[in-house]
Amino acid sequence: MMRPSPKFTTGLIALVLSFWATLAGAIEITDREAVVDLVPHMVFAHGTAAEPDTMREGYRAGQFARDVPLNRFEGDHAAELWGAVEVAAVTDLSRRVLVGVPMISEVDIYAYETGPADHILSYSIFRPFRADQHAGTRLQSHILDLPAGATQLLLVHFKFGPVQRLNLTLESELYLNQRIVMDTAYGAAFYAFSLAAICVFLAFFAALRDSMSLLYALLFLTGLAFLAYMDGLLFRFLYPDTPRIQSALGFLLFLAISGFGYALAGIGFRHSAAFTAARLCWGLAGASVALYVFSLLAPGPIAAFLGNLLLIGMCVAVAFGTRLPPGKTTLSRRLARGLSLAVMGGVLVLLAPLLLPAIPAPFGLLGSTKLLYLVLILGGLTNLTAQILAVRQAQDEAQQAEMAALKREAELNRELAGSEQNYARAQALAAQRQRTLATAAHDIRQPVQSLRLRLDSLTGSVTQDTERRLREALDYIDSLTSNYMEDGGFDDEGDPPAEETYDVSMIFASVQRMFAPEAAKKGLDLRIVDTSHRTNLPAAPLMRIVCNLVVNAIKHSQRGGVVLGVRRRAGGVWLCVADTGPGFTPEEFEQYKTHGAKTDASDGHGFGLALCAQLAEELGLTLSADSVPGRGTCFYLRLPTV
């Protein structure tokens, strides 16, 4: 009788064991399988503070089940769960168990074969860092050596942290080393890109002094620190011997993200004049601070759930609180708004697995979180770039409007100069004619006096009626010559006459005709207060003073209006020009009265106010001003009484 060969016997035993393992629910593994996901094959049971041997007996007695509800809010401690899975080696194997759940509180893995349990992993967030328990960003067990035909029971005790999700794999040494190299390369690229993007936000802040850029930088820097916390990098490099700060630091970083995000959205809503939404966002930023204090006292899962809700609300608020400068709708504005909404949609999809464990994470929990971070940071960069393009476009539009205003101002100045020249020419011609008439009248008075003497000598030679008529004619001629001499610049003593008086309202009416269209173009109201006051000041220099003050007021006022009028003040009559411009201090007013001095925002040459002060001084007047920085200015010119 032939005896079976040893190879045949070994194969038969392996086949029988494989069949038995299949009946028992064990996972068959060969050396061709580099990685095996254990979670789909596991059964679970509750057993807070139970011993592994007790749970093993419960597993053998069928007390474990496929679907065991996990209460994520179990009183004052983290949720716990026991899991069991049997592994059957078809060939000789050497494997490690890898745990990829971020921020897990505690995990213990026991391997049972024929004798006592082999405690292949014992990890706690409350114990100092141990490098041999970490494979990159995951936890690793001791090596499991499984001979062909062996079956082992893996009993796993999880004590969850803020995230109630399982990730348990069985991996070969070669695959594990390759995975570590790949994760390290991806992690280095991720952190390098993130830091570069944060530097871009800081560069925007340094160049533009924009608080939005700084808040973006703080938001993403805090988010990157939180991801480093989830990867275990902070624990590994910053405080490996101080595990007691782990929980507090994690919640601090997590809730700082929502706090900075709500502050960012609040600023955006404020600039969009949505003040109610802005106050709500700032209130939620304060709620993030309050929740951090709550997390120090309450169970972590409850605080984490509330924190996730705040994070979702923050993403929605940032998307809708996108601030764009006022202006017409352009491609960059539509692009910025569309990208904001797309980012919000992506964020909600990626956040859903964090909030609801029943929803699968498409790239793993940590991978989905990093992808969420990249989506947010790319959305922030795109949004900020679109804002800068919109600001640049608004600046170009404002510059074009300013150029048009300057051109209009130059045309008005030319018209004003021409009017002043025509007025001065007409006034000089009228004065010349008046002096000609006065000279002629002066020359006529001499023969009139001679005629009077001749008439006196003829008394008695002519009739009384003829003498009376002759005297009336001479009196009339004498009165005409006296009037012409007075109007021509001479009185009886030869002194020059006083200046002619006129209504100040004539100057006001001219100013309104010239500058009302320019004010209306800027959305300002140029209001003239009627007055019956008369003055004898030279009209041309007074007109130039008023025009310069009104032009400056229109140029520097962005809202409100300009008022021109006359009022009685401090025992005198004052010509007033009031505006709603930026205003200035008394020291700045004295500086601007110097030729060439101007404000930083002025595009002129700094001569307007200095010219007004010089003309007022030449007229014997004083130009003064009452100004409140940020609220407006009122210029005063005291008019002499007539």
Side-chain angles (χ1 to χ4, degrees):
M1 181 176 179
M2 296 181 58
R3 299 181 61 183
S5 65
K7 181 181 294 186
F8 175 79
T9 304
T10 303
L12 181 62
I13 293 174
L15 180 63
V16 172
L17 289 176
S18 174
F19 178 72
W20 175 255
T22 302
L23 293 178
I27 309 172
E28 297 180 1
I29 303 177
T30 67
D31 54 2
R32 296 179 181 180
E33 297 174 278
V35 57
V36 177
D37 186 3
L38 300 177
V39 176
H41 307 278
M42 296 182 71
V43 289
F44 304 96
H46 292 290
T48 303
E51 292 296 330
D53 292 340
T54 303
M55 299 307 299
R56 179 193 181 190
E57 295 302 322
Y59 170 75
R60 296 300 184 192
Q63 296 176 359
F64 281 59
R66 181 72 63 184
D67 297 318
V68 175
L70 177 66
N71 183 8
R72 62 193 309 180
F73 310 120
E74 293 189 14
D76 59 349
H77 57 84
E80 295 186 40
L81 196 66
W82 285 83
V85 62
E86 289 192 71
V87 177
V90 178
T91 59
D92 291 340
L93 298 175
S94 179
R95 295 290 188 269
R96 289 182 186 268
V97 180
L98 276 297
V99 182
V101 182
M103 299 181 295
I104 193 168
S105 294
E106 296 179 12
V107 59
D108 290 279
I109 302 178
Y110 305 91
Y112 286 92
E113 190 172 0
T114 58
D118 183 9
H119 201 173
I120 60 176
L121 177 63
S122 177
Y123 169 81
S124 173
I125 196 176
F126 305 106
R127 292 199 292 264
F129 182 85
R130 287 178 53 186
D132 63 312
Q133 291 184 335
H134 291 77
T137 60
R138 300 181 297 166
L139 297 174
Q140 66 176 3
S141 71
H142 301 318
I143 296 177
L144 280 177
D145 292 319
L146 301 175
T151 301
Q152 284 198 349
L153 170 66
L154 297 179
L155 199 60
V156 186
H157 177 225
F158 290 97
K159 182 174 286 188
F160 296 94
V163 180
Q164 287 77 43
R165 195 176 283 272
L166 294 177
N167 188 325
L168 208 67
T169 57
L170 198 63
E171 301 178 10
S172 68
E173 286 290 303
L174 179 60
Y175 176 84
L176 176 58
N177 292 331
Q178 293 174 345
R179 175 70 182 272
I180 292 174
V181 172
M182 183 178 64
D183 288 348
T184 302
Y186 285 153
F190 170 79
Y191 285 104
F193 173 80
S194 301
L195 288 173
I198 292 170
C199 289
V200 171
F201 286 115
L202 292 175
F204 279 141
F205 171 70
L208 305 176
R209 297 299 177 188
D210 181 24
S211 58
M212 298 281 283
S213 304
L214 180 60
L215 277 175
Y216 268 123
L218 292 175
L219 173 63
F220 290 117
L221 185 61
T222 306
L224 191 63
F226 181 69
L227 289 174
Y229 170 83
M230 292 180 66
D231 279 340
L233 299 179
L234 299 186
F235 191 20
R236 178 189 294 265
F237 297 110
L238 296 184
Y239 51 92
D241 299 322
T242 317
R244 63 179 179 276
I245 68 172
Q246 276 274 76
S247 178
L249 179 62
F251 277 108
L252 175 64
L253 295 174
F254 182 63
L255 294 172
I257 295 172
S258 63
F260 285 131
Y262 280 119
L264 182 68
I267 293 178
F269 281 122
R270 185 188 65 185
H271 284 285
S272 302
F275 298 110
T276 301
R279 286 191 290 269
L280 177 61
C281 287
W282 289 326
L284 290 173
S288 300
V289 178
L291 183 57
Y292 174 67
V293 177
F294 174 78
S295 70
L296 300 177
L297 307 174
I302 297 177
F305 179 79
L306 296 177
N308 284 333
L309 292 179
L310 277 178
L311 189 63
I312 291 176
M314 180 271 291
C315 294
V316 175
V318 170
F320 282 101
T322 301
R323 178 193 60 151
L324 289 176
K328 60 184 180 181
T329 302
T330 61
L331 178 61
S332 62
R333 292 173 181 275
R334 290 193 294 269
L335 179 63
R337 184 61 67 185
L339 283 174
S340 296
L341 295 177
V343 168
M344 183 188 69
V347 165
L348 294 179
V349 170
L350 293 172
L351 272 178
L354 301 179
L355 192 63
L356 301 173
I359 300 177
F363 303 99
L365 184 61
L366 193 56
S368 296
T369 305
K370 289 184 177 179
L371 182 60
L372 168 62
Y373 180 84
L374 290 177
V375 169
L376 286 173
I377 204 168
L378 288 174
L381 284 172
T382 305
N383 179 47
L384 192 60
T385 303
Q387 287 187 36
I388 292 174
L389 291 176
V391 169
R392 179 62 182 272
Q393 184 178 10
Q395 289 175 346
D396 291 341
E397 294 174 356
Q399 187 175 11
Q400 293 175 1
E402 183 69 18
M403 292 295 294
L406 291 175
K407 184 177 179 181
R408 174 62 179 165
E409 182 180 350
E411 293 174 355
L412 291 174
N413 286 335
R414 284 196 296 271
E415 294 176 4
L416 178 60
S419 300
E420 290 180 354
Q421 291 176 358
N422 293 335
Y423 179 81
R425 192 179 300 113
Q427 192 176 34
L429 182 60
Q432 181 180 358
R433 290 177 178 176
Q434 196 68 31
R435 287 185 178 277
T436 301
L437 288 173
T439 302
H442 183 271
D443 293 341
I444 290 173
R445 293 189 70 178
Q446 197 66 28
V448 169
Q449 294 296 331
S450 298
L451 287 175
R452 285 185 182 278
L453 293 175
R454 183 61 179 168
L455 182 60
D456 290 340
S457 65
L458 292 177
T459 302
S461 301
V462 295
T463 62
Q464 291 183 352
D465 181 61
T466 301
E467 181 181 0
R468 179 179 59 77
R469 293 176 63 186
L470 288 172
R471 289 189 181 279
E472 288 178 356
L474 292 174
D475 288 339
Y476 177 70
I477 293 173
D478 190 50
S479 65
L480 286 178
T481 57
S482 297
N483 289 336
Y484 282 128
M485 289 179 66
E486 291 176 1
D487 293 339
F490 304 98
D491 55 17
D492 292 338
E493 289 78 21
D495 296 329
E499 293 284 350
E500 61 178 339
T501 61
Y502 57 90
D503 291 332
V504 177
S505 59
M506 295 173 57
I507 292 180
F508 288 1
S510 299
V511 171
Q512 187 175 32
R513 284 194 300 272
M514 287 190 293
F515 301 111
E518 186 68 25
K521 187 176 180 181
K522 288 190 66 175
L524 303 175
D525 180 22
L526 177 58
R527 188 162 62 91
I528 305 298
V529 180
D530 293 334
T531 179
S532 59
H533 185 74
R534 296 175 63 83
T535 184
N536 59 357
L537 290 172
L542 182 60
M543 182 77 168
R544 294 186 69 185
I545 293 174
V546 176
C547 287
N548 273 283
L549 292 177
V550 171
V551 166
N552 281 343
I554 294 174
K555 185 175 182 179
H556 295 290
S557 296
Q558 303 301 323
R559 56 179 178 78
V562 180
V563 180
L564 174 62
V566 173
R567 62 181 294 190
R568 295 191 176 276
R569 175 175 176 265
V573 179
W574 299 77
L575 188 149
C576 307
V577 178
D579 63 52
T580 56
F584 44 73
T585 63
E587 294 76 13
E588 291 174 333
F589 176 63
E590 295 299 324
Q591 177 187 356
Y592 300 153
K593 286 164 65 177
T594 304
H595 282 282
K598 60 180 182 176
T599 63
D600 295 337
S602 175
D603 295 327
H605 299 285
F607 295 142
L609 194 54
L611 179 61
C612 293
Q614 179 181 343
L615 291 173
E617 184 178 356
E618 292 175 357
L619 294 176
L621 307 175
T622 300
L623 180 66
S624 59
D626 286 341
S627 181
V628 178
R631 297 184 60 183
T633 304
C634 186
F635 290 96
Y636 294 101
L637 185 70
R638 185 164 186 171
L639 302 177
T641 57
V642 180

